[in-house]
Amino acid sequence: MSRWRADFPGLDQVINGKELIYLDNAATTQKPEAVLAAVDYAQRIDCSNVHRGVHALSLRATASFEEARRKMARFINASSSEEVIFVRGATEAINLVAHSWGDTNIKRGDKVLVTELDHHSNIVPWQLVCERVGAQVEWVPVLMNGTLDLKVAHEILSSGEVKIFAFGHVSNALGTINPVQEMVAMAHEFGALALVDGAQASPHIAIDVEDLGADFYALSGHKMYGPSGIGVLWGKIEHLAGMPPWQGGGDMIRSVSIEGTTFAEPPFRFEAGTPNVAGAIGLGAASVFIEEAGLSAIAEHEALLVNKAAESLAEIKGVRLMGEKSKRVGAVSFVIDGVHPHDVGTLLDQEGIAVRTGHHCAQPLMDRLGIPATVRASFGLYNTLEEIDSLQAGVEKVVGVFA
Ligand SMILES: Cc1ncc(COP(=O)(O)O)c(C=O)c1O
């Protein structure tokens, strides 16, 4: 039994006559009571806009919102909460950098380096900025073991033409952990910035942006036990200070007149309009929940889950695991010979087991692996070894049905 399970009311339900086994955590995680309560309080009691009012409710809402920013700064070890921008999620964080930093700094003939392991959220914004300015997207290939071919990254970066190297911390499709520090150092050696998409890392691995050395780091609240519609872009203040706004509106200005507008300092320059106040407060609560659970205790528990899942699935005839076994966190992806992943997902659902099937918004990776889709079981701190036994039994049943 996981010691954290009782905190998650969403897990306590019956699906298709069976106790829910929720193994779709890489898509979104369930929410603990602490997060539900924080969001509820923000909406029910402290419901007010932020940064605008002098009345008590607005002051309380503003204080809680800014406290959430400080919690997130602490969670990722940012040197200042000014470096923490609230956004809708990792997708918006990356789009913000691609628009604001990218449109200003990437010029015709420049290169942007991405990887075949990445989520579409960390590919498409770079394709779009390259189209806008006449630059080119270059790719780091993924090897069949699910790791990146960093020799090729080195070769492309050494041209000196790459402006930014954007890559994931952890692959959502395979669970591969990338050697972030090595990749950041490689980018910096050749004059490129480094953006890390940490959407799949933040629920599993302690994040220290100072130690990683990156220039930007993106994360999504709903993948780390927080609410959806909220996330964080962290950026080094020296970059943020020089970046233009990417959206205009209320809250991001210093002054507006008929002659023109001057803009607020970061982070407010990048937070136009009323923010997701309750979401940010809920995300702050999620970060405290993870800190209190302890990332080393979480990692220890989740390693048992991932290793057991990989071993027990590999024992089943006809099942092929995707990616490398040893450097993986949070997810196990597999295919069953002769069975479409969607059929596997539908039959597992009959057993009350929720997994994700499809290309996982990682089509370049699927192309490289030569498959259209996988079945992905992904884990959170509340999953149990007994649930992995049920997954194994469920997959054996599916194999039996199609034999
Ligand atoms: C690695 C990775 N990056 C980015 C995203 C996008 O996150 P969001 O949809 O929360 O913006 C996801 C979502 O699955 C992801 O797994």
Side-chain angles (χ1 to χ4, degrees), residues 339-360:
V339 189
H340 195 281
H342 289 326
D343 294 331
V344 182
T346 304
L347 288 174
L348 288 177
D349 184 52
Q350 296 307 308
E351 305 297 315
I353 303 174
V355 293
R356 171 86 182 268
T357 62
H359 54 62
H360 314 296

mmCIF file of all heavy atoms in Angstrom, residues 339-360:
data_model
loop_
_atom_site.group_PDB
_atom_site.id
_atom_site.type_symbol
_atom_site.label_atom_id
_atom_site.label_comp_id
_atom_site.label_asym_id
_atom_site.label_seq_id
_atom_site.Cartn_x
_atom_site.Cartn_y
_atom_site.Cartn_z
ATOM 1 N N VAL A 339 -1.579 -6.639 -31.859
ATOM 2 C CA VAL A 339 -2.749 -6.038 -31.196
ATOM 3 C C VAL A 339 -2.600 -4.520 -31.217
ATOM 4 O O VAL A 339 -1.552 -3.991 -30.826
ATOM 5 C CB VAL A 339 -2.879 -6.516 -29.719
ATOM 6 C CG1 VAL A 339 -4.219 -6.045 -29.143
ATOM 7 C CG2 VAL A 339 -2.733 -8.022 -29.597
ATOM 8 N N HIS A 340 -3.637 -3.830 -31.663
ATOM 9 C CA HIS A 340 -3.540 -2.368 -31.688
ATOM 10 C C HIS A 340 -3.585 -1.830 -30.255
ATOM 11 O O HIS A 340 -4.409 -2.271 -29.446
ATOM 12 C CB HIS A 340 -4.677 -1.756 -32.513
ATOM 13 C CG HIS A 340 -4.384 -0.322 -32.857
ATOM 14 N ND1 HIS A 340 -4.564 0.702 -31.957
ATOM 15 C CD2 HIS A 340 -3.879 0.235 -33.981
ATOM 16 C CE1 HIS A 340 -4.186 1.844 -32.515
ATOM 17 N NE2 HIS A 340 -3.766 1.581 -33.753
ATOM 18 N N PRO A 341 -2.715 -0.859 -29.943
ATOM 19 C CA PRO A 341 -2.717 -0.300 -28.583
ATOM 20 C C PRO A 341 -4.097 0.152 -28.098
ATOM 21 O O PRO A 341 -4.428 0.003 -26.917
ATOM 22 C CB PRO A 341 -1.751 0.887 -28.693
ATOM 23 C CG PRO A 341 -0.798 0.477 -29.754
ATOM 24 C CD PRO A 341 -1.615 -0.305 -30.760
ATOM 25 N N HIS A 342 -4.929 0.700 -29.015
ATOM 26 C CA HIS A 342 -6.256 1.157 -28.564
ATOM 27 C C HIS A 342 -7.097 -0.011 -28.054
ATOM 28 O O HIS A 342 -7.870 0.138 -27.101
ATOM 29 C CB HIS A 342 -6.995 1.874 -29.697
ATOM 30 C CG HIS A 342 -6.401 3.215 -30.019
ATOM 31 N ND1 HIS A 342 -5.836 4.020 -29.066
ATOM 32 C CD2 HIS A 342 -6.286 3.889 -31.189
ATOM 33 C CE1 HIS A 342 -5.384 5.139 -29.628
ATOM 34 N NE2 HIS A 342 -5.638 5.072 -30.926
ATOM 35 N N ASP A 343 -6.941 -1.182 -28.692
ATOM 36 C CA ASP A 343 -7.681 -2.361 -28.214
ATOM 37 C C ASP A 343 -7.179 -2.776 -26.834
ATOM 38 O O ASP A 343 -7.967 -3.187 -25.971
ATOM 39 C CB ASP A 343 -7.530 -3.529 -29.211
ATOM 40 C CG ASP A 343 -8.213 -3.212 -30.540
ATOM 41 O OD1 ASP A 343 -9.199 -2.445 -30.518
ATOM 42 O OD2 ASP A 343 -7.754 -3.703 -31.585
ATOM 43 N N VAL A 344 -5.873 -2.664 -26.643
ATOM 44 C CA VAL A 344 -5.308 -3.001 -25.323
ATOM 45 C C VAL A 344 -5.904 -2.058 -24.272
ATOM 46 O O VAL A 344 -6.370 -2.495 -23.206
ATOM 47 C CB VAL A 344 -3.767 -2.856 -25.321
ATOM 48 C CG1 VAL A 344 -3.200 -3.245 -23.959
ATOM 49 C CG2 VAL A 344 -3.127 -3.676 -26.425
ATOM 50 N N GLY A 345 -5.922 -0.750 -24.602
ATOM 51 C CA GLY A 345 -6.441 0.248 -23.652
ATOM 52 C C GLY A 345 -7.904 -0.001 -23.326
ATOM 53 O O GLY A 345 -8.320 0.114 -22.166
ATOM 54 N N THR A 346 -8.691 -0.361 -24.348
ATOM 55 C CA THR A 346 -10.128 -0.580 -24.134
ATOM 56 C C THR A 346 -10.348 -1.820 -23.258
ATOM 57 O O THR A 346 -11.179 -1.806 -22.339
ATOM 58 C CB THR A 346 -10.835 -0.756 -25.497
ATOM 59 O OG1 THR A 346 -10.537 0.400 -26.279
ATOM 60 C CG2 THR A 346 -12.333 -0.888 -25.349
ATOM 61 N N LEU A 347 -9.591 -2.877 -23.518
ATOM 62 C CA LEU A 347 -9.772 -4.094 -22.716
ATOM 63 C C LEU A 347 -9.280 -3.885 -21.273
ATOM 64 O O LEU A 347 -9.904 -4.375 -20.333
ATOM 65 C CB LEU A 347 -9.046 -5.279 -23.359
ATOM 66 C CG LEU A 347 -9.722 -5.791 -24.646
ATOM 67 C CD1 LEU A 347 -8.888 -6.861 -25.323
ATOM 68 C CD2 LEU A 347 -11.120 -6.342 -24.352
ATOM 69 N N LEU A 348 -8.206 -3.120 -21.116
ATOM 70 C CA LEU A 348 -7.732 -2.841 -19.748
ATOM 71 C C LEU A 348 -8.754 -2.002 -18.990
ATOM 72 O O LEU A 348 -8.957 -2.179 -17.788
ATOM 73 C CB LEU A 348 -6.365 -2.137 -19.771
ATOM 74 C CG LEU A 348 -5.169 -3.015 -20.169
ATOM 75 C CD1 LEU A 348 -3.889 -2.182 -20.234
ATOM 76 C CD2 LEU A 348 -4.970 -4.183 -19.209
ATOM 77 N N ASP A 349 -9.406 -1.098 -19.707
ATOM 78 C CA ASP A 349 -10.443 -0.271 -19.071
ATOM 79 C C ASP A 349 -11.566 -1.161 -18.504
ATOM 80 O O ASP A 349 -12.140 -0.851 -17.462
ATOM 81 C CB ASP A 349 -10.999 0.735 -20.091
ATOM 82 C CG ASP A 349 -12.003 1.686 -19.464
ATOM 83 O OD1 ASP A 349 -11.668 2.305 -18.434
ATOM 84 O OD2 ASP A 349 -13.128 1.793 -19.982
ATOM 85 N N GLN A 350 -11.854 -2.256 -19.205
ATOM 86 C CA GLN A 350 -12.874 -3.191 -18.694
ATOM 87 C C GLN A 350 -12.459 -3.776 -17.349
ATOM 88 O O GLN A 350 -13.285 -4.224 -16.565
ATOM 89 C CB GLN A 350 -13.106 -4.349 -19.689
ATOM 90 C CG GLN A 350 -13.685 -3.915 -21.030
ATOM 91 C CD GLN A 350 -14.950 -3.090 -20.849
ATOM 92 O OE1 GLN A 350 -15.869 -3.504 -20.158
ATOM 93 N NE2 GLN A 350 -14.980 -1.895 -21.430
ATOM 94 N N GLU A 351 -11.141 -3.776 -17.101
ATOM 95 C CA GLU A 351 -10.623 -4.284 -15.818
ATOM 96 C C GLU A 351 -10.454 -3.150 -14.802
ATOM 97 O O GLU A 351 -9.855 -3.340 -13.746
ATOM 98 C CB GLU A 351 -9.245 -4.952 -16.023
ATOM 99 C CG GLU A 351 -9.216 -6.060 -17.070
ATOM 100 C CD GLU A 351 -10.111 -7.229 -16.679
ATOM 101 O OE1 GLU A 351 -10.054 -7.648 -15.512
ATOM 102 O OE2 GLU A 351 -10.883 -7.700 -17.543
ATOM 103 N N GLY A 352 -10.917 -1.962 -15.181
ATOM 104 C CA GLY A 352 -10.784 -0.805 -14.276
ATOM 105 C C GLY A 352 -9.412 -0.166 -14.314
ATOM 106 O O GLY A 352 -9.077 0.659 -13.461
ATOM 107 N N ILE A 353 -8.599 -0.564 -15.335
ATOM 108 C CA ILE A 353 -7.219 -0.052 -15.398
ATOM 109 C C ILE A 353 -7.137 1.053 -16.445
ATOM 110 O O ILE A 353 -7.412 0.814 -17.625
ATOM 111 C CB ILE A 353 -6.229 -1.193 -15.767
ATOM 112 C CG1 ILE A 353 -6.343 -2.331 -14.750
ATOM 113 C CG2 ILE A 353 -4.796 -0.659 -15.842
ATOM 114 C CD1 ILE A 353 -5.531 -3.570 -15.098
ATOM 115 N N ALA A 354 -6.754 2.260 -15.999
ATOM 116 C CA ALA A 354 -6.641 3.404 -16.918
ATOM 117 C C ALA A 354 -5.196 3.531 -17.385
ATOM 118 O O ALA A 354 -4.297 3.775 -16.568
ATOM 119 C CB ALA A 354 -7.071 4.682 -16.199
ATOM 120 N N VAL A 355 -4.968 3.322 -18.682
ATOM 121 C CA VAL A 355 -3.644 3.582 -19.275
ATOM 122 C C VAL A 355 -3.861 4.506 -20.463
ATOM 123 O O VAL A 355 -4.992 4.711 -20.900
ATOM 124 C CB VAL A 355 -2.941 2.285 -19.760
ATOM 125 C CG1 VAL A 355 -2.576 1.389 -18.595
ATOM 126 C CG2 VAL A 355 -3.792 1.552 -20.807
ATOM 127 N N ARG A 356 -2.782 5.037 -21.008
ATOM 128 C CA ARG A 356 -2.897 5.884 -22.202
ATOM 129 C C ARG A 356 -2.412 5.093 -23.398
ATOM 130 O O ARG A 356 -1.393 4.396 -23.315
ATOM 131 C CB ARG A 356 -2.037 7.135 -22.001
ATOM 132 C CG ARG A 356 -1.882 8.017 -23.223
ATOM 133 C CD ARG A 356 -3.035 9.002 -23.343
ATOM 134 N NE ARG A 356 -2.873 9.808 -24.556
ATOM 135 C CZ ARG A 356 -2.240 10.981 -24.602
ATOM 136 N NH1 ARG A 356 -1.689 11.468 -23.499
ATOM 137 N NH2 ARG A 356 -2.150 11.654 -25.737
ATOM 138 N N THR A 357 -3.140 5.219 -24.495
ATOM 139 C CA THR A 357 -2.687 4.593 -25.736
ATOM 140 C C THR A 357 -2.655 5.658 -26.824
ATOM 141 O O THR A 357 -3.435 6.600 -26.795
ATOM 142 C CB THR A 357 -3.640 3.463 -26.173
ATOM 143 O OG1 THR A 357 -4.938 4.025 -26.419
ATOM 144 C CG2 THR A 357 -3.761 2.390 -25.107
ATOM 145 N N GLY A 358 -1.729 5.503 -27.757
ATOM 146 C CA GLY A 358 -1.648 6.475 -28.843
ATOM 147 C C GLY A 358 -0.208 6.859 -29.107
ATOM 148 O O GLY A 358 0.724 6.152 -28.693
ATOM 149 N N HIS A 359 -0.051 8.027 -29.764
ATOM 150 C CA HIS A 359 1.327 8.459 -30.081
ATOM 151 C C HIS A 359 1.888 9.379 -28.997
ATOM 152 O O HIS A 359 3.035 9.796 -29.067
ATOM 153 C CB HIS A 359 1.404 9.106 -31.459
ATOM 154 C CG HIS A 359 0.438 10.236 -31.673
ATOM 155 N ND1 HIS A 359 0.464 11.386 -30.915
ATOM 156 C CD2 HIS A 359 -0.581 10.386 -32.542
ATOM 157 C CE1 HIS A 359 -0.491 12.211 -31.320
ATOM 158 N NE2 HIS A 359 -1.157 11.625 -32.303
ATOM 159 N N HIS A 360 1.080 9.693 -27.997
ATOM 160 C CA HIS A 360 1.514 10.487 -26.834
ATOM 161 C C HIS A 360 2.051 11.857 -27.233
ATOM 162 O O HIS A 360 2.965 12.388 -26.575
ATOM 163 C CB HIS A 360 2.561 9.719 -26.009
ATOM 164 C CG HIS A 360 2.185 8.294 -25.754
ATOM 165 N ND1 HIS A 360 1.092 7.939 -25.007
ATOM 166 C CD2 HIS A 360 2.726 7.134 -26.210
ATOM 167 C CE1 HIS A 360 0.980 6.629 -24.988
ATOM 168 N NE2 HIS A 360 1.949 6.114 -25.719
#
